[in-house]
Amino acid sequence: MKSMKFIFWMMALTFLALTSCSDDNDVDLSNRKFVRIDQSSVYLTVGEKIKVTATVDEIAGESYKLLWSVLDPNVATAESLDGNAGAITAIAAGKTIIKVETADKKLMYFADLTVTEGEKSVKILTIGSGLANDATANYLYDIAKDAGISLVIGNMYVENASLEDHVKNVTDNQAVYQYNRIAVDGSSSIQSNQSLKSIIKGENWDYIAFEESMAMAGLKDGYQTYLPQLMELVDGLATNPDVKYLLHQPWAYAKSAEDGFANYDRDQFKMYNAIVEAVWAAKESSVQIDLVVPVGTTVQNGRTSYIGEDMLQDAFHLNANTAKFAAACTWFEALFGKNEVSYSPDNLIGYDVKLSKAAAHNAIVNSKIITELLDYKESPARIYIDFGPIESPAPFNNYRFPGDPALENLKDDKGNTTPFCLVVEKGFSGTLERGLENTLGFPKTASEDMFFSDGITIPVSSFKMSGLTKGEKYTFTFYGHINDSNTQTEYRVIGANEGSACLVNDFNPDRVAAVKGIEPAEDGTVNIELQPGPDNTQWAKFFGINVMVVMPEGN
C-alpha cells in the first residue's frame, strides 16, 4: 500500500497542475477545486460505525458527487451518505485508509483509520438542565455493568436551561456547559465551560437525550418550537449515522417548591399531567424522537409509596438513594428492554431496592399514568440511632456519650418498643460536634455530631446489640460525616455470619454504607466493630459514626 507521504505528494502535484497561472500571472480561481476529509484520523472499535464528513470548495462543490471507500475492505467498509458524508463500519482490527473522491476521479482525499479489538461500549449523552445528570450519574453504570453491558455516560447541562437556551448555545457555540462524563472503566470526571459542539463531535454517541427545563417541562411551546431546531443542529454534529434521539421526561416539583411551580397553579398532579402531555405530544409529532425515558412517571409512582415527598431531597433534585436508583432503573429498562434489574446497591435496604424497581418498571409499562405502589405503602419497622450529645427527635434513639449506660428497649420508627438493646463494648476516643448538614432526610442534629476514635490509639471500637430474633436477617446501615480529609471507616457486623462495608467520611452529606443479610448469633446478639478502612490515610486514622439504622429484611 502506498505510504501516506507519497499519496499526499501526488495530490500536491495534481493540485499545482490544476491551479497553474497564465503567462501574465493572473490567477484563474475557477480552477481552485478541492475535496478534503474533515477528520484526519479515525479510531473505531470492531463493530462500531461512524459518520465522516468532507469539505468541498464553494465554486463547484454542490455539483460534486462524492464516493467513499476503504482501501482494505477486510478492516472496514464504507457507504456514501447525503450531505458530503460517508459511513464507516469497523469489521476487524487493523489499520487502513479512508478515501473520498469525486465521481469523475479527478479529486480525492485520504484519512487514517485504526480499528481495535475490544468490547463495544454503548455511549449515552444527555443535554439538559441537570435533571438527567441526577437520574443517570449514580447507578446506571453499575446496573449496566452487572448486566454485562459496557457504558459511557455523558451529561451536559446548564442549571435551569431550556430547549430554547440550548438552541442559542449551539448556534453561538457557547462554552457554558458543565460536562459530567463516566468512562468505560467507571471513572468519572467533571469539566466546566464546555460547548455542545465539541462534546457532540468528540465522541461517537449511540444515544443523545434532550430535556426541557423543569419550569417549562409541562408547556408545549418549547417542544414544538425549539426541539426540532435543536435536533437539526445536533444531528449535523453527531458522528454516529445510527444515533437515536431520546426525550428525558422531567418530574413534577415537590409540593414545597416556589419558582416555576406557579406555571401549574402550584398543583403537583396538574404539573405531572402537563409534563406527560407535552412530552408525548413531542414524541408523537413529526420530530424524530425514538424513545421517551419516563423518569417523571417513576418519581410520581414512588410518591405513592411510604416515601412520598421524600422522593426529592429538596424542591427539585432526586433524593440521593431510592429516587436516583429508581431513575437509573428506568433508563436501563427504556434503553435495553430488560425488565429485571439484578443489581442491588450496597447503600439501599432490600425493601427500598424492590420499591425502586417497581416504580421504574411500572413507569415503563404505563408511561402516561401513575401506578399506585400498593405493596409499599408501609415501610418495615426500622431502628434509628443517633450518636452524639446533640439529641435528634423521634424516631431516633439517642446514644449521647460512649460512657452512657446501654440503650434498652429501643423504639422503632412506628413508635413501638422493641427488645433491642445497644451498648458500647470497646470504647471510643469521644464525641465531636461539627455542625454539618446532610441531604439524606435526617435532621441536622443527626449529622452534626458523632462518636469517633483516633485509630492510632484505639484501633477498634465496638457495640453489642442484643434482643434480635434468631434466624431473622437484618440490614445495618451506617452514616458518618466529618469535615476532614482521607478518612474512611470500616463497619463490620458479626453474628451467626458476618459482613462489612467501608465509608469515606470526608465531607459526606449523602453517602451511607450497608451490611446486609446478617443473622444474629444463638443468643440473639451481633457485634458491630468500627476501625479505620483500608484507604484511611488520615494522620490520626480517624474513624467514627453519626447514625446507625437497623431493619429486619423479612422474606
Side-chain angles (χ1 to χ4, degrees):
M1 183 172 63
K2 294 179 180 179
S3 69
M4 288 297 292
K5 182 182 292 186
F6 176 78
I7 290 171
F8 283 117
W9 175 246
M10 293 302 296
M11 287 173 57
L13 291 176
T14 303
F15 182 79
L16 288 172
L18 289 171
T19 60
S20 61
C21 299
S22 61
D23 291 340
D24 59 4
N25 292 324
D26 289 337
V27 178
D28 181 2
L29 293 177
S30 65
N31 284 331
R32 299 192 62 165
K33 301 177 181 179
F34 68 87
V35 58
R36 64 172 176 264
I37 298 174
D38 296 334
Q39 298 97 319
S40 60
S41 299
V42 177
Y43 299 88
L44 297 176
T45 301
V46 173
E48 192 174 2
K49 191 174 184 179
I50 194 170
K51 178 173 69 176
V52 290
T53 54
T55 298
V56 298
D57 63 89
E58 297 181 0
I59 298 171
E62 291 185 2
S63 65
Y64 293 156
K65 177 177 175 55
L66 299 182
L67 304 176
W68 293 83
S69 61
V70 174
L71 297 190
D72 186 348
N74 293 316
V75 173
T77 61
E79 60 179 305
S80 298
L81 303 174
D82 294 335
N84 295 337
I88 309 299
T89 302
I91 297 174
K95 294 184 177 181
T96 185
I97 303 295
I98 301 169
K99 181 172 82 168
V100 64
E101 60 186 331
T102 54
D104 60 11
K105 310 291 186 180
K106 291 184 178 180
L107 300 173
M108 62 186 68
Y109 204 86
F110 304 85
D112 292 319
L113 172 63
T114 302
V115 178
T116 56
E117 294 282 2
E119 182 181 9
K120 182 184 179 302
S121 298
V122 177
K123 299 180 178 181
I124 305 162
L125 177 67
T126 73
I127 300 169
S129 61
L131 302 181
N133 183 68
D134 241 19
T136 62
N138 290 81
Y139 297 105
L140 181 57
Y141 176 90
D142 292 318
I143 292 170
K145 181 180 179 181
D146 186 73
I149 298 171
S150 176
L151 283 191
V152 172
I153 304 169
N155 291 299
M156 295 201 76
Y157 57 95
V158 176
E159 289 287 343
N160 303 315
S162 66
L163 293 171
E164 180 181 6
D165 293 328
H166 298 309
V167 171
K168 292 177 181 177
N169 291 338
V170 179
T171 303
D172 299 337
N173 196 26
Q174 293 294 308
V176 294
Y177 286 84
Q178 190 88 345
Y179 179 45
N180 184 10
R181 183 178 187 274
I182 300 174
V184 68
D185 63 358
S187 62
S188 62
S189 61
I190 299 177
Q191 303 170 45
S192 300
N193 303 319
Q194 299 298 304
S195 71
L196 287 172
K197 180 178 180 180
S198 64
I199 299 302
I200 294 168
K201 290 178 70 69
E203 196 122 22
N204 198 28
W205 303 104
D206 296 288
Y207 296 95
I208 299 178
F210 308 98
E211 72 182 11
E212 181 60 285
S213 67
M214 203 166 184
M216 306 286 287
L219 307 180
K220 292 184 180 179
D221 288 349
Y223 298 97
Q224 301 302 321
T225 303
Y226 298 107
L227 182 59
Q229 297 177 36
L230 180 59
M231 290 186 64
E232 182 177 2
L233 291 166
V234 169
D235 197 55
L237 299 171
T239 62
N240 188 337
D242 297 329
V243 62
K244 296 186 183 300
Y245 292 109
L246 316 179
L247 265 181
H248 179 236
Q249 178 202 341
W251 45 88
Y253 284 117
K255 292 177 180 178
S256 61
E258 297 292 339
D259 296 341
F261 207 12
N263 290 338
Y264 311 96
D265 300 325
R266 299 182 58 79
D267 184 322
Q268 190 182 90
F269 292 104
K270 183 175 183 178
M271 182 177 184
Y272 165 74
N273 289 323
I275 292 171
V276 169
E277 186 176 348
V279 167
W280 284 94
K283 166 68 171 68
E284 292 159 4
S285 71
S286 59
V287 176
Q288 295 302 305
I289 291 293
D290 295 284
L291 191 65
V292 171
V293 186
V295 173
T297 298
T298 296
V299 171
Q300 210 63 37
N301 290 347
R303 283 169 165 156
T304 71
S305 74
Y306 84 93
I307 295 177
E309 285 298 285
D310 287 338
M311 285 295 286
L312 302 191
Q313 61 177 283
D314 51 30
F316 320 100
H317 299 100
L318 299 177
N319 80 31
N321 296 317
T322 310
K324 287 186 177 181
F325 181 62
C329 289
T330 310
W331 271 87
F332 182 75
E333 187 169 347
L335 290 175
F336 303 111
K338 299 177 183 289
N339 61 9
E340 287 296 329
V341 174
S342 60
Y343 176 75
S344 177
D346 289 338
N347 61 353
L348 281 181
I349 62 172
Y351 186 84
D352 287 349
V353 168
K354 293 176 184 177
L355 186 161
S356 298
K357 293 177 181 180
H361 179 63
N362 280 288
I364 295 293
V365 174
N366 297 299
S367 299
K368 301 178 184 180
I369 62 173
I370 302 168
T371 301
E372 288 271 343
L373 300 184
L374 297 175
D375 292 338
Y376 300 95
K377 292 293 186 181
E378 295 288 336
S379 69
R382 310 179 199 205
I383 306 290
Y384 289 85
I385 303 159
D386 174 16
F387 299 96
I390 303 173
E391 294 194 7
S392 293
F396 281 91
N397 300 270
N398 290 280
Y399 209 144
R400 299 184 67 240
F401 296 99
D404 286 352
L407 288 184
E408 297 183 346
N409 300 122
L410 298 171
K411 288 192 174 183
D412 65 27
D413 60 345
K414 301 180 188 303
N416 301 314
T417 299
T418 73
F420 294 0
C421 173
L422 186 71
V423 65
V424 171
E425 285 221 315
K426 295 179 181 178
F428 289 79
S429 296
T431 63
L432 286 177
E433 299 174 39
R434 294 289 174 89
L436 303 174
E437 303 275 359
N438 73 87
T439 57
L440 289 165
F442 297 152
K444 182 183 177 182
T445 50
S447 56
E448 63 182 335
D449 61 342
M450 68 189 312
F451 286 9
F452 84 99
S453 289
D454 288 333
I456 293 176
T457 55
I458 300 179
V460 178
S461 299
S462 71
F463 304 96
K464 180 183 285 290
M465 178 168 268
S466 59
L468 285 74
T469 302
K470 180 183 174 183
E472 176 72 87
K473 290 183 178 180
Y474 294 84
T475 292
F476 294 78
T477 302
F478 303 96
Y479 172 64
H481 190 181
I482 184 69
N483 52 347
D484 206 333
S485 299
N486 305 314
T487 73
Q488 185 191 53
T489 302
E490 179 180 353
Y491 305 94
R492 181 172 297 278
V493 186
I494 306 165
N497 59 342
E498 65 178 79
S500 66
C502 292
L503 180 68
V504 174
N505 307 118
D506 306 346
F507 302 97
N508 175 25
D510 58 10
R511 299 184 303 275
V512 298
V515 179
K516 302 179 182 180
I518 298 298
E519 295 184 27
E522 287 288 327
D523 60 356
T525 64
V526 297
N527 289 316
I528 302 157
E529 296 183 347
L530 289 71
Q531 62 186 12
D535 296 324
N536 187 324
T537 59
Q538 199 259 357
W539 67 273
K541 293 289 185 179
F542 167 96
F543 61 92
I545 183 169
N546 291 69
V547 171
M548 181 170 72
V549 184
V550 183
M551 193 194 83
E553 294 180 2
N555 297 323

